[in-house]
Amino acid sequence: MGQGLQFLDIILFAAIAAFLVLRLRSVLGKRTGHDGGNRPDYDPFRQQQPKPGAKGEEGGDEKVIQLPGQRGEQAAPASEARPAGEGVDGLTQIQLADREFDPASFEEGARVAFEMILMNFAEGNAKELRPLLADEVFKDFDGAIRERAERNETLETTLVGITGADIIEAEMQAKTAFVTVKFVSEQVNVTKDSEGRIVDGDPNEVVTVTDIWTFARNTRSRDPNWTLVATRTPN
């Protein structure tokens, strides 16, 4: 009789435990792939995310700016998707692969990325440039910074303004989107030696500079970052 009562007690406790587990899951919800360690890293291009060091976050005052092409708008229904093919332009192909891509917001973000890269290059901040540049581009930028340091020279760049930032090329290559932007900016660039003497440039001259930069992103990746993969000047 005593063993029978113990068996009933075990069944009763197990039922209570199962009920409490179900109640906790209904209140707390299920863990998703974006929680905890599976959450993608903060994109250094984004401006609308909480900065490390803000209320409820740990860390310092890291620079963050808007990711080109990420607006957080509701994606179109899957039934509206159609495969990229003949007659579909590059921007449309990218939009089919990445429903959150928007050319206008990409251009806005590209302006900020341009300024961020330009200023960090002038100041010799290779560490800040690293996450924004593809390996080959970073190698070129870092090499120029090192050569300048070896000559004991400093570069002073003043970005007066960006008068144009327009998408001129766009294409999909397999899973990767490539977007090329033509930047037209007004700058003052002065290079000085270790004694502070000007060796190149004129501090009183504003020059118009045209740069053509290509950004890329794997549209299948959970990483939202766009990186600078190529730079060139007009022919």
CSV table of all heavy atoms in Angstrom, one decimal, residues 170-219:
chain,number,residue,atom,x,y,z
A,170,ALA,N,25.4,48.2,-61.1
A,170,ALA,CA,24.9,47.3,-60.1
A,170,ALA,C,24.8,45.9,-60.8
A,170,ALA,O,24.3,45.9,-61.9
A,170,ALA,CB,23.6,47.7,-59.5
A,171,GLU,N,25.1,44.9,-60.1
A,171,GLU,CA,25.0,43.6,-60.6
A,171,GLU,C,25.1,42.5,-59.5
A,171,GLU,O,25.6,42.7,-58.4
A,171,GLU,CB,26.1,43.3,-61.6
A,171,GLU,CG,27.5,43.3,-61.0
A,171,GLU,CD,28.6,42.9,-62.1
A,171,GLU,OE1,28.3,42.1,-63.0
A,171,GLU,OE2,29.7,43.3,-61.9
A,172,MET,N,24.5,41.3,-59.9
A,172,MET,CA,24.6,40.2,-59.0
A,172,MET,C,25.6,39.2,-59.7
A,172,MET,O,25.5,38.9,-60.9
A,172,MET,CB,23.3,39.5,-58.9
A,172,MET,CG,22.3,40.2,-58.0
A,172,MET,SD,22.7,40.2,-56.2
A,172,MET,CE,22.8,38.4,-55.9
A,173,GLN,N,26.6,38.7,-58.9
A,173,GLN,CA,27.5,37.6,-59.3
A,173,GLN,C,27.3,36.5,-58.4
A,173,GLN,O,27.7,36.5,-57.2
A,173,GLN,CB,28.9,38.1,-59.4
A,173,GLN,CG,29.2,39.1,-60.4
A,173,GLN,CD,30.7,39.5,-60.4
A,173,GLN,OE1,31.5,38.8,-59.8
A,173,GLN,NE2,31.0,40.6,-61.1
A,174,ALA,N,26.5,35.4,-58.8
A,174,ALA,CA,26.1,34.3,-57.9
A,174,ALA,C,25.3,34.9,-56.8
A,174,ALA,O,24.3,35.5,-57.0
A,174,ALA,CB,27.4,33.6,-57.5
A,175,LYS,N,25.8,34.8,-55.5
A,175,LYS,CA,25.1,35.2,-54.4
A,175,LYS,C,25.5,36.7,-53.9
A,175,LYS,O,24.9,37.2,-53.0
A,175,LYS,CB,25.3,34.3,-53.2
A,175,LYS,CG,24.9,32.9,-53.5
A,175,LYS,CD,25.3,32.0,-52.3
A,175,LYS,CE,25.0,30.5,-52.6
A,175,LYS,NZ,25.4,29.6,-51.5
A,176,THR,N,26.5,37.2,-54.6
A,176,THR,CA,27.1,38.5,-54.1
A,176,THR,C,26.6,39.7,-54.9
A,176,THR,O,26.6,39.6,-56.2
A,176,THR,CB,28.6,38.5,-54.2
A,176,THR,OG1,29.1,37.4,-53.4
A,176,THR,CG2,29.2,39.7,-53.6
A,177,ALA,N,26.1,40.7,-54.2
A,177,ALA,CA,25.7,41.9,-54.9
A,177,ALA,C,26.8,42.9,-54.9
A,177,ALA,O,27.6,43.1,-54.0
A,177,ALA,CB,24.5,42.5,-54.1
A,178,PHE,N,27.0,43.6,-56.1
A,178,PHE,CA,28.0,44.6,-56.3
A,178,PHE,C,27.3,45.9,-56.7
A,178,PHE,O,26.5,45.9,-57.6
A,178,PHE,CB,29.0,44.2,-57.4
A,178,PHE,CG,29.9,43.0,-57.0
A,178,PHE,CD1,29.4,41.7,-57.3
A,178,PHE,CD2,31.1,43.2,-56.4
A,178,PHE,CE1,30.2,40.6,-56.9
A,178,PHE,CE2,31.9,42.1,-56.1
A,178,PHE,CZ,31.5,40.8,-56.3
A,179,VAL,N,27.6,47.0,-56.0
A,179,VAL,CA,27.0,48.3,-56.3
A,179,VAL,C,28.2,49.3,-56.4
A,179,VAL,O,28.9,49.4,-55.4
A,179,VAL,CB,26.0,48.7,-55.2
A,179,VAL,CG1,25.4,50.1,-55.6
A,179,VAL,CG2,24.9,47.7,-55.1
A,180,THR,N,28.2,50.0,-57.5
A,180,THR,CA,29.3,51.0,-57.7
A,180,THR,C,28.7,52.4,-57.6
A,180,THR,O,27.7,52.7,-58.3
A,180,THR,CB,29.9,50.8,-59.1
A,180,THR,OG1,30.5,49.4,-59.2
A,180,THR,CG2,31.0,51.8,-59.3
A,181,VAL,N,29.3,53.2,-56.9
A,181,VAL,CA,28.9,54.6,-56.6
A,181,VAL,C,29.9,55.6,-57.1
A,181,VAL,O,31.1,55.4,-56.8
A,181,VAL,CB,28.6,54.8,-55.1
A,181,VAL,CG1,28.1,56.2,-54.9
A,181,VAL,CG2,27.6,53.8,-54.6
A,182,LYS,N,29.5,56.6,-57.8
A,182,LYS,CA,30.3,57.7,-58.2
A,182,LYS,C,30.2,58.8,-57.2
A,182,LYS,O,29.1,59.4,-57.0
A,182,LYS,CB,30.0,58.2,-59.6
A,182,LYS,CG,30.8,59.4,-60.1
A,182,LYS,CD,30.3,59.8,-61.5
A,182,LYS,CE,31.1,61.0,-62.0
A,182,LYS,NZ,30.6,61.5,-63.3
A,183,PHE,N,31.3,59.2,-56.5
A,183,PHE,CA,31.3,60.3,-55.5
A,183,PHE,C,32.0,61.5,-56.2
A,183,PHE,O,33.1,61.4,-56.7
A,183,PHE,CB,32.1,59.9,-54.3
A,183,PHE,CG,31.5,58.7,-53.5
A,183,PHE,CD1,31.9,57.4,-53.7
A,183,PHE,CD2,30.5,58.9,-52.6
A,183,PHE,CE1,31.4,56.4,-53.0
A,183,PHE,CE2,29.9,57.9,-51.9
A,183,PHE,CZ,30.4,56.6,-52.1
A,184,VAL,N,31.4,62.6,-56.0
A,184,VAL,CA,32.0,63.9,-56.4
A,184,VAL,C,32.0,64.7,-55.1
A,184,VAL,O,31.0,65.0,-54.5
A,184,VAL,CB,31.2,64.6,-57.5
A,184,VAL,CG1,31.9,65.9,-57.8
A,184,VAL,CG2,31.1,63.7,-58.7
A,185,SER,N,33.2,65.1,-54.7
A,185,SER,CA,33.3,65.8,-53.4
A,185,SER,C,34.3,67.0,-53.6
A,185,SER,O,35.1,67.1,-54.5
A,185,SER,CB,33.8,64.9,-52.3
A,185,SER,OG,35.1,64.4,-52.7
A,186,GLU,N,34.2,67.9,-52.6
A,186,GLU,CA,35.1,69.1,-52.6
A,186,GLU,C,35.9,68.9,-51.3
A,186,GLU,O,35.4,68.7,-50.2
A,186,GLU,CB,34.3,70.4,-52.5
A,186,GLU,CG,33.5,70.7,-53.7
A,186,GLU,CD,32.7,72.0,-53.6
A,186,GLU,OE1,32.5,72.5,-52.5
A,186,GLU,OE2,32.4,72.6,-54.7
A,187,GLN,N,37.2,68.9,-51.5
A,187,GLN,CA,38.2,68.6,-50.5
A,187,GLN,C,39.3,69.6,-50.4
A,187,GLN,O,39.7,70.2,-51.4
A,187,GLN,CB,38.8,67.2,-50.6
A,187,GLN,CG,37.8,66.1,-50.8
A,187,GLN,CD,38.4,64.7,-51.0
A,187,GLN,OE1,39.6,64.5,-50.7
A,187,GLN,NE2,37.7,63.8,-51.6
A,188,VAL,N,39.9,69.7,-49.3
A,188,VAL,CA,41.2,70.4,-49.1
A,188,VAL,C,42.2,69.4,-48.5
A,188,VAL,O,42.0,68.8,-47.4
A,188,VAL,CB,41.1,71.6,-48.1
A,188,VAL,CG1,42.5,72.2,-47.9
A,188,VAL,CG2,40.1,72.6,-48.6
A,189,ASN,N,43.2,69.0,-49.3
A,189,ASN,CA,44.2,68.0,-48.9
A,189,ASN,C,45.6,68.7,-48.8
A,189,ASN,O,46.1,69.3,-49.8
A,189,ASN,CB,44.2,66.9,-49.9
A,189,ASN,CG,43.0,66.1,-49.9
A,189,ASN,OD1,42.7,65.4,-48.9
A,189,ASN,ND2,42.2,66.2,-50.9
A,190,VAL,N,46.2,68.5,-47.6
A,190,VAL,CA,47.6,69.1,-47.4
A,190,VAL,C,48.4,68.0,-46.7
A,190,VAL,O,48.0,67.4,-45.7
A,190,VAL,CB,47.5,70.3,-46.5
A,190,VAL,CG1,48.9,70.9,-46.3
A,190,VAL,CG2,46.6,71.4,-47.2
A,191,THR,N,49.6,67.8,-47.3
A,191,THR,CA,50.6,66.9,-46.7
A,191,THR,C,51.7,67.7,-46.1
A,191,THR,O,52.3,68.5,-46.8
A,191,THR,CB,51.1,65.9,-47.8
A,191,THR,OG1,50.0,65.1,-48.4
A,191,THR,CG2,52.1,64.9,-47.1
A,192,LYS,N,52.1,67.3,-44.9
A,192,LYS,CA,53.1,68.1,-44.2
A,192,LYS,C,54.2,67.1,-43.7
A,192,LYS,O,54.0,65.9,-43.5
A,192,LYS,CB,52.6,68.8,-43.0
A,192,LYS,CG,51.6,69.9,-43.3
A,192,LYS,CD,51.1,70.6,-42.1
A,192,LYS,CE,50.1,71.7,-42.4
A,192,LYS,NZ,49.6,72.5,-41.2
A,193,ASP,N,55.5,67.6,-43.6
A,193,ASP,CA,56.6,66.8,-43.1
A,193,ASP,C,56.6,66.9,-41.6
A,193,ASP,O,55.7,67.5,-41.0
A,193,ASP,CB,57.9,67.2,-43.8
A,193,ASP,CG,58.3,68.6,-43.4
A,193,ASP,OD1,57.7,69.2,-42.4
A,193,ASP,OD2,59.2,69.2,-44.1
A,194,SER,N,57.6,66.3,-41.0
A,194,SER,CA,57.8,66.2,-39.6
A,194,SER,C,57.9,67.5,-38.9
A,194,SER,O,57.7,67.7,-37.7
A,194,SER,CB,58.9,65.3,-39.2
A,194,SER,OG,60.1,65.8,-39.7
A,195,GLU,N,58.4,68.6,-39.7
A,195,GLU,CA,58.6,69.9,-39.2
A,195,GLU,C,57.3,70.8,-39.4
A,195,GLU,O,57.3,72.0,-39.1
A,195,GLU,CB,59.8,70.6,-39.9
A,195,GLU,CG,61.1,69.8,-39.7
A,195,GLU,CD,61.5,69.7,-38.3
A,195,GLU,OE1,61.2,70.7,-37.5
A,195,GLU,OE2,62.1,68.7,-37.9
A,196,GLY,N,56.3,70.2,-40.0
A,196,GLY,CA,55.0,70.9,-40.2
A,196,GLY,C,55.1,71.7,-41.5
A,196,GLY,O,54.1,72.5,-41.7
A,197,ARG,N,56.1,71.5,-42.3
A,197,ARG,CA,56.2,72.2,-43.6
A,197,ARG,C,55.3,71.5,-44.7
A,197,ARG,O,55.3,70.3,-44.7
A,197,ARG,CB,57.6,72.3,-44.1
A,197,ARG,CG,58.5,73.2,-43.1
A,197,ARG,CD,59.9,73.1,-43.5
A,197,ARG,NE,60.4,71.7,-43.3
A,197,ARG,CZ,61.7,71.4,-43.1
A,197,ARG,NH1,62.6,72.4,-43.1
A,197,ARG,NH2,62.1,70.2,-43.0
A,198,ILE,N,54.7,72.3,-45.5
A,198,ILE,CA,53.8,71.7,-46.5
A,198,ILE,C,54.7,71.1,-47.7
A,198,ILE,O,55.5,71.8,-48.2
A,198,ILE,CB,52.8,72.8,-47.1
A,198,ILE,CG1,51.9,73.2,-46.0
A,198,ILE,CG2,52.0,72.2,-48.3
A,198,ILE,CD1,51.0,74.4,-46.4
A,199,VAL,N,54.4,69.9,-48.0
A,199,VAL,CA,55.2,69.2,-49.1
A,199,VAL,C,54.2,68.9,-50.2
A,199,VAL,O,54.7,68.7,-51.4
A,199,VAL,CB,55.8,67.9,-48.6
A,199,VAL,CG1,56.9,68.2,-47.5
A,199,VAL,CG2,54.8,66.9,-48.1
A,200,ASP,N,52.9,69.0,-50.0
A,200,ASP,CA,52.0,68.8,-51.1
A,200,ASP,C,50.7,69.4,-50.7
A,200,ASP,O,50.2,69.4,-49.6
A,200,ASP,CB,51.8,67.3,-51.4
A,200,ASP,CG,51.0,67.1,-52.7
A,200,ASP,OD1,51.2,67.8,-53.7
A,200,ASP,OD2,50.2,66.2,-52.7
A,201,GLY,N,50.0,70.0,-51.7
A,201,GLY,CA,48.7,70.6,-51.5
A,201,GLY,C,48.7,72.1,-51.1
A,201,GLY,O,49.8,72.6,-50.8
A,202,ASP,N,47.5,72.6,-51.0
A,202,ASP,CA,47.4,74.1,-50.7
A,202,ASP,C,46.2,74.2,-49.7
A,202,ASP,O,45.1,73.8,-50.0
A,202,ASP,CB,47.1,74.9,-51.9
A,202,ASP,CG,47.0,76.4,-51.7
A,202,ASP,OD1,46.9,76.8,-50.5
A,202,ASP,OD2,47.1,77.1,-52.7
A,203,PRO,N,46.5,74.7,-48.5
A,203,PRO,CA,45.4,74.8,-47.5
A,203,PRO,C,44.3,75.8,-47.9
A,203,PRO,O,43.2,75.7,-47.3
A,203,PRO,CB,46.2,75.2,-46.2
A,203,PRO,CG,47.4,75.9,-46.7
A,203,PRO,CD,47.8,75.2,-48.0
A,204,ASN,N,44.6,76.6,-48.9
A,204,ASN,CA,43.6,77.6,-49.3
A,204,ASN,C,42.9,77.2,-50.6
A,204,ASN,O,42.1,78.0,-51.1
A,204,ASN,CB,44.3,78.9,-49.5
A,204,ASN,CG,44.9,79.5,-48.2
A,204,ASN,OD1,44.2,79.4,-47.1
A,204,ASN,ND2,46.1,79.9,-48.3
A,205,GLU,N,43.1,76.0,-51.1
A,205,GLU,CA,42.6,75.6,-52.3
A,205,GLU,C,41.6,74.4,-52.1
A,205,GLU,O,41.9,73.4,-51.6
A,205,GLU,CB,43.7,75.1,-53.3
A,205,GLU,CG,43.1,74.7,-54.7
A,205,GLU,CD,44.2,74.1,-55.6
A,205,GLU,OE1,45.4,74.0,-55.1
A,205,GLU,OE2,43.9,73.8,-56.7
A,206,VAL,N,40.3,74.6,-52.6
A,206,VAL,CA,39.3,73.6,-52.5
A,206,VAL,C,39.3,72.9,-53.9
A,206,VAL,O,39.1,73.6,-54.9
A,206,VAL,CB,37.9,74.1,-52.2
A,206,VAL,CG1,36.9,73.0,-52.2
A,206,VAL,CG2,38.0,74.8,-50.8
A,207,VAL,N,39.5,71.6,-53.9
A,207,VAL,CA,39.6,70.9,-55.2
A,207,VAL,C,38.4,69.9,-55.3
A,207,VAL,O,37.9,69.4,-54.3
A,207,VAL,CB,40.9,70.1,-55.3
A,207,VAL,CG1,42.1,71.0,-55.4
A,207,VAL,CG2,41.0,69.1,-54.2
A,208,THR,N,37.9,69.7,-56.5
A,208,THR,CA,36.8,68.8,-56.8
A,208,THR,C,37.4,67.5,-57.1
A,208,THR,O,38.3,67.4,-58.0
A,208,THR,CB,35.9,69.3,-57.9
A,208,THR,OG1,35.4,70.6,-57.5
A,208,THR,CG2,34.8,68.3,-58.2
A,209,VAL,N,37.0,66.4,-56.4
A,209,VAL,CA,37.6,65.1,-56.5
A,209,VAL,C,36.5,64.1,-56.9
A,209,VAL,O,35.4,64.1,-56.3
A,209,VAL,CB,38.3,64.6,-55.3
A,209,VAL,CG1,38.9,63.2,-55.5
A,209,VAL,CG2,39.4,65.6,-54.8
A,210,THR,N,36.7,63.3,-57.9
A,210,THR,CA,35.8,62.3,-58.3
A,210,THR,C,36.3,60.9,-58.0
A,210,THR,O,37.5,60.6,-58.5
A,210,THR,CB,35.4,62.4,-59.8
A,210,THR,OG1,34.9,63.7,-60.1
A,210,THR,CG2,34.4,61.3,-60.2
A,211,ASP,N,35.6,60.1,-57.3
A,211,ASP,CA,36.0,58.7,-56.9
A,211,ASP,C,34.9,57.8,-57.3
A,211,ASP,O,33.7,58.1,-57.2
A,211,ASP,CB,36.3,58.6,-55.4
A,211,ASP,CG,37.5,59.4,-54.9
A,211,ASP,OD1,38.6,59.0,-55.2
A,211,ASP,OD2,37.3,60.5,-54.3
A,212,ILE,N,35.3,56.6,-57.8
A,212,ILE,CA,34.3,55.6,-58.1
A,212,ILE,C,34.6,54.4,-57.2
A,212,ILE,O,35.7,53.7,-57.3
A,212,ILE,CB,34.4,55.2,-59.6
A,212,ILE,CG1,34.0,56.4,-60.4
A,212,ILE,CG2,33.4,54.0,-59.9
A,212,ILE,CD1,34.1,56.2,-61.9
A,213,TRP,N,33.7,54.0,-56.3
A,213,TRP,CA,33.9,53.0,-55.4
A,213,TRP,C,32.9,51.9,-55.6
A,213,TRP,O,31.7,52.2,-55.8
A,213,TRP,CB,33.8,53.5,-53.9
A,213,TRP,CG,34.9,54.3,-53.5
A,213,TRP,CD1,36.0,54.8,-54.2
A,213,TRP,CD2,35.2,54.8,-52.2
A,213,TRP,NE1,36.8,55.5,-53.5
A,213,TRP,CE2,36.4,55.6,-52.2
A,213,TRP,CE3,34.5,54.7,-51.0
A,213,TRP,CZ2,36.9,56.2,-51.1
A,213,TRP,CZ3,35.0,55.4,-49.8
A,213,TRP,CH2,36.2,56.1,-49.9
A,214,THR,N,33.3,50.6,-55.4
A,214,THR,CA,32.4,49.5,-55.5
A,214,THR,C,32.2,48.8,-54.2
A,214,THR,O,33.3,48.5,-53.5
A,214,THR,CB,32.9,48.5,-56.6
A,214,THR,OG1,32.9,49.1,-57.8
A,214,THR,CG2,31.9,47.3,-56.7
A,215,PHE,N,31.0,48.6,-53.7
A,215,PHE,CA,30.7,47.9,-52.5
A,215,PHE,C,30.1,46.6,-52.8
A,215,PHE,O,29.4,46.4,-53.8
A,215,PHE,CB,29.7,48.7,-51.6
A,215,PHE,CG,30.2,50.1,-51.2
A,215,PHE,CD1,30.0,51.2,-52.0
A,215,PHE,CD2,30.9,50.3,-50.0
A,215,PHE,CE1,30.4,52.5,-51.6
A,215,PHE,CE2,31.3,51.5,-49.6
A,215,PHE,CZ,31.1,52.6,-50.4
A,216,ALA,N,30.3,45.6,-51.9
A,216,ALA,CA,29.8,44.3,-52.2
A,216,ALA,C,29.2,43.7,-50.9
A,216,ALA,O,29.6,44.0,-49.8
A,216,ALA,CB,30.9,43.4,-52.7
A,217,ARG,N,28.3,42.7,-51.1
A,217,ARG,CA,27.7,42.0,-49.9
A,217,ARG,C,27.1,40.7,-50.4
A,217,ARG,O,26.5,40.6,-51.4
A,217,ARG,CB,26.6,42.8,-49.3
A,217,ARG,CG,25.9,42.1,-48.1
A,217,ARG,CD,24.8,42.9,-47.5
A,217,ARG,NE,24.1,42.1,-46.5
A,217,ARG,CZ,23.0,41.3,-46.8
A,217,ARG,NH1,22.5,41.3,-48.0
A,217,ARG,NH2,22.4,40.6,-45.9
A,218,ASN,N,27.4,39.6,-49.6
A,218,ASN,CA,26.8,38.3,-49.9
A,218,ASN,C,25.4,38.4,-49.4
A,218,ASN,O,25.1,38.4,-48.2
A,218,ASN,CB,27.6,37.2,-49.1
A,218,ASN,CG,27.1,35.8,-49.4
A,218,ASN,OD1,25.9,35.6,-49.9
A,218,ASN,ND2,27.8,34.8,-49.1
A,219,THR,N,24.4,38.3,-50.3
A,219,THR,CA,23.0,38.4,-50.0
A,219,THR,C,22.4,37.2,-49.2
A,219,THR,O,21.4,37.3,-48.6
A,219,THR,CB,22.1,38.7,-51.2
A,219,THR,OG1,22.3,37.6,-52.1
A,219,THR,CG2,22.6,39.9,-52.0
